[in-house]
Structure formats: structure tokens, C-alpha cells
Amino acid sequence: MKPFEYAAPNTLEEAIGLLGEKWGEAEVLAGGTDLVTALKQGIMEPDRLVSLKNLTSLQQVELREGTLHIGAMAPLAAVSENSTAQEHFPSLVQAIEGIGSRQIIVHGTVGGDLCQRPRCWYFRSGYGLFGQHDGESLVLNGDNRFHAIFGNEGPAYFVHPSSLGPALIALDATLIAVGPKGKERTIGAGDFFKTPQNEDERETVLRPDEVVTEIRVPLHGLKNATYEVRHRQGFDWPYVTATVAFQERGGTASDGRVVLGHVAPVPWHSEKASQSLNGQALNEPTAKECGQAAIVGAKPLSGNRYKVQLTKTAVKRAVLSAAGIEQEA
Amino acid sequence: MASANWPEKKTWSYLRDRIDRVDGPVKATGAARYSYDVNRPGMLYAKVLYSQHASAKINGIDLSGAKSMKGVKATWRDEDLIGSEVQYAGQMLAAVAAVTEELAQEAVKQIKVDYEVKKPQVIDDDPEYADDRASRREEGNLEEALKGAEVVSEGEYGLPVVTHCCMESHGQVAEVKDGELHLWPSTQNVSRYADQMGEQVGIPGNKTHVNTQYMGGGFGSKFSHDKWGIVGAILAKQSGRPVKLMLDRDMELMAAGNRPSAYSKVKVGVKKDGTITAMDEEVWGTGGPANYRPPPFPYVFTGVENWRQVGRRIRTNRGGQRAWRAPNHPQGCLITMAAIDDAAAALGMDALDFFRHNTQLTERPDVYREELDVAADMIGYRQKAHPRGDKTPGPVKRGLGISMHQWGGLGHPSECDLTIHPDGSVECKIGTQDLGTGTRTVINIVVAETLGLALEDIEVKIGKSAYPQSGASGGSTTVGGVSASSRLAATSALNALLDVVASELGVSANELEARYGHIRVKGDPTKAVSWKEACSMLGPSPINKKGVNDRAESREKGLIDGGVGGVQMADVSVDTETGIVTINEMVGVQDCGLVIDLKTAESQVYGAMIMGITYSLFEEAVYDRTTGSMLNADMEFYRLAGLQDVGDLRVHMMGGEKYAKRGVIGLGEPPVISPGAAISNAVANACGVRVPYLPLTPERVTDALEKGGMSV
Ligand SMILES: Cc1cc2nc3c(=O)[nH]c(=O)nc-3n(C[C@H](O)[C@H](O)[C@H](O)COP(=O)(O)OP(=O)(O)OC[C@H]3O[C@@H](n4cnc5c(N)ncnc54)[C@H](O)[C@@H]3O)c2cc1C
């Protein structure tokens, strides 16, 4: 691990002032569950860490005027244990409950989950964000079983690791980012993530000198659920997640949203699957069709065709779960 | 005279009881010090530089950058490698010892290596990459037998390379003091760890001292001092300071050993009544740059009359294989048991009936039949069984699978030194090691049982090369070795004590026995002296006796034996829409002769089953074919099962006169052999298709379902 300077400022302004103008100069430290690993792996080597731990106001989770305000530094557990979230945002709670282990849920933060770096094993082994060697993609020629089946035109083939991202997009959440001179930006969750085109870009639209301060989730009355396909039960990432949300009236869906996780370099909003729900009776055939619609346009790589099948299933099961329909075991 | 033979069951105080391991509390509280925990005054930390490339010529290794750093106290580079080639990524090139771990890490980065990179070869599952020369073994007339068979089934079966993944990585603390070398290694081989070190370090063997009180797992990968052991000692000598050199996890997974892969195509011919008449196998796999020995075939069913095995090695630029808990048996077991299970399904015969019928082709038909029946009862086989392919509606299918395995486990040579002091205290020294299996506990039980004392009355001393020699812990030989040597030593010490007491009491020593903390006249408990009193009769000199396990003699006496069978059954669910396999229940039925401690014996089987579930569902060393680097040399993508993944496990240790009279037999390895086959067979029974290769991941399961026309 490269030696670094450590700062734990007491105000947001100070914190932002300590960040750099370019990525890699300084990094925000939240719970550290991802960042510290990345430092040890030598894939992030900042000169300075700016810990937000003293900014206690960023840890709050509060319901105000029909919107749940989640501080970026709120531990994941503070959201999954929040009664508003449990009642209105089961998809978000399920996404959190699936995560790794209890320790990570208690220690990791919501802001950290959204800004965490890809788990791609080429990236983590030091071959760069795109996993290249002599100008060629190791991912394409190598073992890509955990890589993207959507949005994989390259050079990025990794999947975005956040399970919360898809849920927040489906729930119409917005993020607040604050930069130098207190300049505040409101960013729709769907606009927050981006596929980098260069090695030195990041996976979000955040600037190097900005901090995510808050995530706002409105109570829009959507039925919603997340379904994960997870192999190992403890300490692992899912293969695929699907978050589904819709308005329901008299057993019929409208305003459908289907957002997939772990299948593309960004949380993947499936237009087709979302629309397939609108005006449909909520039942098993609709769920199945939604699953089918979700995989249209999937372009599996040499070793991850199975993720198409997993995606189809995850979407179907998320629809049924959101609609409260028991599935056949 | 007390006899060294195992006592009759009616007199057992501890044998086959459920006894907590004696070092449980120190391990649970963290008081136990593993090699990793040993810290010496003024100690340096060593870090290793390993090859980034899987195949390359090393033109030079420049240490000057590291040497010039303040705080770096010693360096080493592999002179022999300069001008020659590295065989795999992770191969050790150089090392640095510095005052802090961080500094050592930084210093390693300053070492410059001049590589001439070559194209690596890491593919191990494609027979196209195999050597031209194949090994061949055969018996009987295969072609004829296949022609005459009622049914011939064909299939592909295989397992990838997996690592040992010990919780504690390889390494040691080394210290040179007054010309003597002191080592605290994580080893399975205390008595002989340092055997060939002397010459290379320049300190003779009689001045080398090994001390391993607790170690975090070996599974066959920690017999030798390895190059890093030598280097650690050299750095200590060079710097004049103690040096801790423990491998980091990535190098541990790349370089510290692995289980070779095995992939196969098998044909099985069976008669109408289910008898296996023919088995034909083509098998290939890799042990890295090292040799490749095809796994045993036909496994367990050695009485199959007509068979052939053609084996091919694939040479790869991967770390070399090492003995991995029951070397070659898990591979042999999966291939044979899955292939014959497919034959049973092709014949339309129930798997249990089929395995039971073919026990006639094994070396222990009675044992296997009994074990199959016990396992079937435990898992509710007859109630749950269905022909291949669960026909109930819904995507989640359930199935049962069976497997059988065998192992040797005859105790190794072992010497024990036992002292009864005049104050009544008892000290027992053996140069053995406790890998976490319960060796300390077993020795304690045997000595207490023999002397009629309580467990806490005995002081068991192990883990030092200064103690009498005992074998390496491999091949499931430790429990037999140490229980025989400690039983012999304790018996002979007791007899010396009985002689003294006999003359004091005016009876013959033959009339005396040691029971419940007393020396007493057999059949007349009123004529007794307490243990302490008895020992006080010794005067000033303690009794000191040696027990030596001579394998042949001990076997003759019935103290130990070798050769066991075991049966495991798995009940699994397969989500056919996701390919996720879940273990509902698994039972392990095992024979290991006389069970000394039922609790630690059962724990061995539980542990082995968990390790088996891990390699069945998750584990695999993944390599990048372009660079030859290992992609999952960490604990994130090198997946191991957690508690939530293992389902409900139950264990039964065979018991009764028939088993106990054989004496003690090793247990460490046998129960890890069957899980792969039992689980693979259960998955085939559930979803109706064979998933050829382990681990049974969603990608492999969904692929097999699709190819088998069973996808949803
Ligand atoms: C074994 C394991 C399993 C996991 N499984 C899952 C899973 O299934 N699904 C899932 O979604 N996640 C999973 N995770 C990831 C986990 O949720 C994240 O590690 C955690 O949420 C990160 O939060 P943190 O506070 O520790 O972030 P840190 O590690 O402190 O930071 C992570 C990154 O975010 C940046 N950052 C953090 N906060 C801010 C902020 N407020 N503003 C700007 N940048 C910021 C940091 O600079 C850093 O780059 C898993 C992690 C582990 C270790």
C-alpha cells in the first residue's frame, strides 16, 4: 500500500477543499470496505484520504415531506432497518440485505455503495479498469464469466457492482452532490452512472472534487421488489439482480420500471421490459414476458451466456415478488 | 502386568466418548499462538517478490533499489534463476527483510527484474494440449465385455485444479542465536521440517530447533520447509535478527500447492442384474509443471473385471501440485462414482440397489453394505428416492446422490517419551503436531485411559523437534502413530510403577490395575492406593519410558490398522431456472476402526464434508490464458463455502466389536473424498442431466440443462 496523508475534517466545506482536481489525487473515505481493499490491491494509490466520518449530519435517514432523505454516510443497515424503507421500498431493503455479510452492511455506507469500484478480476489484478494488455482486451480473450451482457461495446466490459443503484433508479431517487464553493448538483439516479471511455475516468458523473451528500427517495406509491441470483450465501456478490417497480391498480400494472444490476457497466434500465408491464394484468405470464423482454438485445461474451438465463429469471421473479404473487417452488 | 492391547469396551473411561478438544479454550480465546502470532524481540518482516509472468526467462534481478532503502536489513535473490526460466506466475524470485511489514512491501517494489516474457500455457481441460505420451493400464478384455453388456453408458466427468487454501498461509519465524537456528514454522512435519535445511542455511541439523504449537491447516501442502523457509532462515542469519516470513494470500494460492485437475471420458458396461462388467477411461489433467499421475480407476470397485485407463498429462505454467487431502482420491471417486451412477440410470435401476449390488466388486463388501444401509436410513433414502429427473412441477428439483470411498490410514512411525514423576505428575512428549485435528486431545485421552487418570492429570507436550521423532501428518497416519506410541509408552511406564507398588503392597504386579486415579488390586477395590501415593513410592527417580510404534508389530497386536471404507449421501435442490444448487442435507458414514474421541472424529468428518461441498459447488483456480496469471488469487473470487451454504450435515461413525477390534485407523482424509460424487449424483438425480464438471456453478448447471434439452 502506498503511503498517504489522512484527513478527517469537521466540515463539508473543508472536506471538499481537501479533494483534488484530478482523479487519483485524493479519495473520499467512507466506511472503507471497498476503498481499503483497493488500496491494498494497489489499484488506487491516492496521496490523500479524506474521511467523512466526522460529518455526522451525513449519517441521517429521515422522512420529510413525502421523501426519504438518506445521508450518503448512512450505514447500509440504517436504511434496511428504517421503517419507511421497509414499508415503501422493499426493493432497496432487499438489495441491502443481499449484500456480503452483516459486517459490510453495518460498516459500508450508501454513498460508498454507489461509488464503489468494479470487481472485475482483471481490474483488481492490476490490468487497469478495462483489463487490457498490449492494447488488447484480456476480458474478451479471457475469462469473462462475471462480465457484462449489456452495454458491452467496450472498452468497458465490467459490471457495475452496486445493487442499490438499480433500486434507486427504479424508485425515482435523486442524488445530491456538493462541490467547491458549496455548489450543489441534483442528479437523477439514472444519470449518476456512466460507462467510462478512458482508463482515467470513473463509473459515475461525479467530479473528483465533489462529495455525494444525500440520496432522496420519493414516496411515489410504487410496488417494488429486487430479486438476486446469488450463488454463495455469505460474503459474495450476486450474479444478477433485477429491480422492478410499477403502479398497480386493480391487478393491472402501469408506469413499469425494470432495472438490472451486475449485467452492464452501469445499472441497466431495460426500456423494453419496463414497457412490457404497462397495461398488463399482474400474473405469471406477464412476469415471464417481462423476463423475456429484459433479455432482448443481450450480447453475451464468450463465457457468460448463462447470465442471460439468469436475467430472465431474476426479472420474472422480481415482478412476481413486487406483485405479491407466490411462485411455484 | 498391564497389557498394551486396547482395553475391553466395558472398562473404557474415555475411549469413544465425546470429549472436547483440550486446546479448544486457548484457540477460541486467541491465546494459542500460531506461527503468524509469534513475535520475537527485534524481529524483521520479510516480503517476497514473485514472478508476474507465467513463463519468462530471467535475465537479471536487481536488488540495489531495495538495498539502498533505510530500514531494509537483508535481501535475497534466487541466483539459480538468473539466466533460466520461471515456470509459473507466483514463483519466488527475491525477498527482503525490513523493520516493518510496510517497508518490506515497499522495498520489494524497488526490485527490478529483467524478464524475457514468453507465451504461457495454462489451459488444463482441453486434451489437445496433452503430452503425446500416454500412460496405459488395463485388465481383462474390455472390447468383448462392452459388446456383451446389457447397457453401455458414456459420459464426461471432471474436476478443476483447487488449492489447499489453508487458513494460515505458509511460512515461519526464524531466529539465529548463538549459532543455533530456531524456527517457528507452520508445518505438518515438526520432526523432519528442518532435515535438509542445514546445508543450505549453513547451520547443522543438531543446532536447529523447530517449534510448532499451533498451526492453521496444511491439508498436505506443508510437509517441506520450501524455498521460502530456507530464505527466511538465510535472511535471519544475514541480519542477525529474527525474521517473520509468511506468504501473502495471493502467493499462497499461486505457489503453495494445489490439487491436480482430472477430466475424463468414461464408458461403463453393465449386465442386466446391474453388475459392472467393463469400464473404460480416458483421463487428462494438470499438476502444473510437475508430473501427473492419473487418479485411481476403477475406484473402490476394484473387482471390475475388464477395464482400461489411458492417462495424459497437460503441462501448464501454473503452480505445482502437492498432496491435497487424500491425493487423487476425490478425482478418482468423482469419475468412477458418477460414471457408474449414470450406468445405473441408463439401466433404469435404483442407485442404492445398484451400489449395494456392486459392493461385491469392492474389497470390503460387508462394511460398504452396512454403511449404505445406515446412510440410507439417516437420509430417508427409501422415502425420498425417485428415478433420475424429479418430475414434480416447478423449477426447483430435488434429488439424492450416493458415493463410496476408501482409504488406508495405517499409523506412521512414532516415538513417545513418557515420564511419571514421584509427585504423581505425568509428562508425555512426542515430536508430532496438531494440525487442528485433535492430535493433542487424542494423546491425552490415550495416556489418561492407560494410566487410569483424569485428562487434566497429564501434560502432553508436542510440536518440538527436540521431542522423540514422530511422522509427518499426512496420509491420515497421525492418530494411529501417536496413539500406538503413547499407549506403548504409558503401558510400559505403568508396569514399572505397578512393580514398585506390588512390592510395597506385597502382591504380584499382575494383580494390580490403574483405575480412577488409584492403583488397586483387581476385583478388590478396597485394596488400593491413590496415584499420588503410588508415585511417592518411587523415591527420588522418576519413571521414564519410551514407546515406539513399529507399524507391523502394532498392527499384529491390534493397536492399529489400515484400510477403511465410507459412504456419503447428499440431498440437493437444483433451481433449474438459475442453475443454483443447494445442499439440503448430507450424511457421512465412516469407518475408522477404534474411535478414540467420538467428538473430534465426527468433527473431522464434518470438516471434510464442508471442504467437499466447497470444491463441489464453488472452488476452482481460474487462470487467464493470455497472461497466465491467476485471476482469483484472493478470498473474494476464490470461493469457499460458508455456514449458510452447507445445509444440514450429519455424521455416523461405525462402531461395535467388529470395527473396534481392528484398532485405531486414520480419518483425516477419507471423508473428503466422496462429497463431489455424492453431490454431482444428487444433482443428476434432481434435474435429469449430468453436469460433467465440478464445481456445480450456475454457468455449468444451466449449460448442462440446455444441452440436455431440459432448460426452462
Ligand atoms: C464481500 C463483499 C460483498 C459485497 N456484496 C455486495 C453486493 O452484493 N451488492 C452491493 O451493492 N455491494 C456489495 N458490496 C459492496 C459494499 O456494499 C461496498 O463495499 C460498500 O457499500 C462501500 O461503502 P463504504 O462506505 O465502505 O465505501 P468506501 O470503501 O469508503 O468507498 C468506496 C468508494 O466510494 C467513494 N465514496 C464513498 N462515499 C462517497 C461520497 N459520499 N461521495 C463521493 N465518493 C464517495 C470512495 O472514494 C471510494 O472510491 C460487497 C462488499 C464486499 C466486501
Side-chain angles (χ1 to χ4, degrees), chain A residues 28 30-35 100 104 109 112-113 115-116 161 163 212 230 237-238:
Chain A
V28 168
T33 58
D34 177 37
L35 182 55
I104 291 163
T109 63
D113 187 274
C115 299
Q116 61 175 309
S163 311
V212 178
R230 178 177 284 279
W237 271 261

Side-chain angles (χ1 to χ4, degrees), chain A:
Chain A
M1 195 189 295
K2 200 184 98 174
F4 52 81
E5 184 186 305
Y6 173 84
N10 291 315
T11 67
L12 182 62
E13 200 183 347
E14 230 184 305
I16 291 164
L18 288 164
L19 293 174
E21 281 174 14
K22 284 209 294 278
W23 285 119
E25 293 175 6
E27 300 288 345
V28 168
L29 177 66
T33 58
D34 177 37
L35 182 55
V36 174
T37 310
L39 297 176
K40 284 190 183 169
Q41 289 167 330
I43 57 166
M44 288 169 84
E45 299 198 308
D47 299 319
R48 179 186 294 152
L49 290 192
V50 183
S51 169
L52 305 185
K53 71 170 183 189
N54 294 335
L55 309 184
T56 45
S57 64
L58 299 188
Q59 290 169 16
Q60 257 127 51
V61 181
E62 250 181 335
L63 180 64
R64 282 201 311 266
E65 293 156 25
T67 294
L68 190 66
H69 295 252
I70 303 171
M73 283 295 285
L76 294 163
V79 177
S80 60
E81 286 159 16
N82 177 280
S83 58
T84 306
Q86 288 175 349
E87 191 182 338
H88 298 279
F89 312 131
S91 60
L92 189 58
V93 172
Q94 287 153 355
I96 293 171
E97 284 174 347
I99 290 176
S101 67
R102 182 72 197 160
Q103 288 92 325
I104 291 163
I105 295 176
V106 169
H107 212 75
T109 63
V110 176
D113 187 274
L114 300 174
C115 299
Q116 61 175 309
R117 308 300 313 276
R119 310 304 306 184
C120 165
W121 48 22
Y122 289 98
F123 175 44
R124 297 274 168 172
S125 302
Y127 292 106
L129 184 56
F130 298 148
Q132 291 177 341
H133 181 71
D134 291 342
E136 285 203 34
S137 168
L138 292 172
V139 182
L140 287 186
N141 298 325
D143 200 313
N144 46 43
R145 71 182 79 177
F146 299 128
H147 288 78
I149 56 171
F150 290 104
N152 53 6
E153 293 75 31
Y157 301 99
F158 60 77
V159 297
H160 199 280
S162 173
S163 311
L164 270 60
L168 292 172
I169 294 171
L171 295 169
D172 298 331
T174 50
L175 280 76
I176 311 300
V178 180
K181 304 201 184 91
K183 195 165 163 267
E184 197 175 291
R185 287 205 286 161
T186 305
I187 308 165
D191 299 325
F192 182 68
F193 301 97
K194 71 159 205 261
T195 304
Q197 298 302 321
N198 289 299
E199 283 276 346
D200 54 3
E201 288 176 30
R202 289 280 165 98
E203 304 80 40
T204 69
V205 298
L206 210 63
R207 296 187 194 117
D209 54 3
E210 279 179 324
V211 167
V212 178
T213 55
E214 192 174 291
I215 295 96
R216 295 179 184 161
V217 199
L219 270 65
H220 282 172
L222 294 157
K223 292 245 151 116
N224 61 91
T226 295
Y227 186 91
E228 297 191 333
V229 181
R230 178 177 284 279
H231 190 202
R232 188 170 62 158
Q233 288 312 305
F235 228 76
D236 212 347
W237 271 261
Y239 281 48
V240 167
T241 67
T243 300
V244 168
F246 47 78
Q247 297 289 350
E248 191 225 301
R249 191 170 299 155
T252 300
S254 61
D255 198 9
R257 302 99 193 275
V258 175
V259 190
L260 309 172
H262 309 266
V263 296
V266 292
W268 193 253
H269 182 198
S270 173
E271 237 5 279
K272 274 214 162 64
S274 304
Q275 277 164 20
S276 83
L277 289 172
N278 298 336
Q280 298 300 313
L282 286 161
N283 54 26
E284 180 113 21
T286 300
K288 227 173 160 167
E289 227 152 273
C290 185
Q292 276 299 344
I295 60 172
V296 173
K299 285 200 210 75
L301 307 173
S302 57
N304 65 7
R305 209 163 48 90
Y306 72 101
K307 285 182 84 169
V308 177
Q309 165 70 24
L310 268 46
T311 302
K312 190 169 84 177
T313 305
V315 169
K316 178 183 89 172
R317 293 182 182 181
V319 173
L320 292 173
S321 166
I325 299 171
E326 189 86 29
Q327 344 183 11
E328 236 183 333

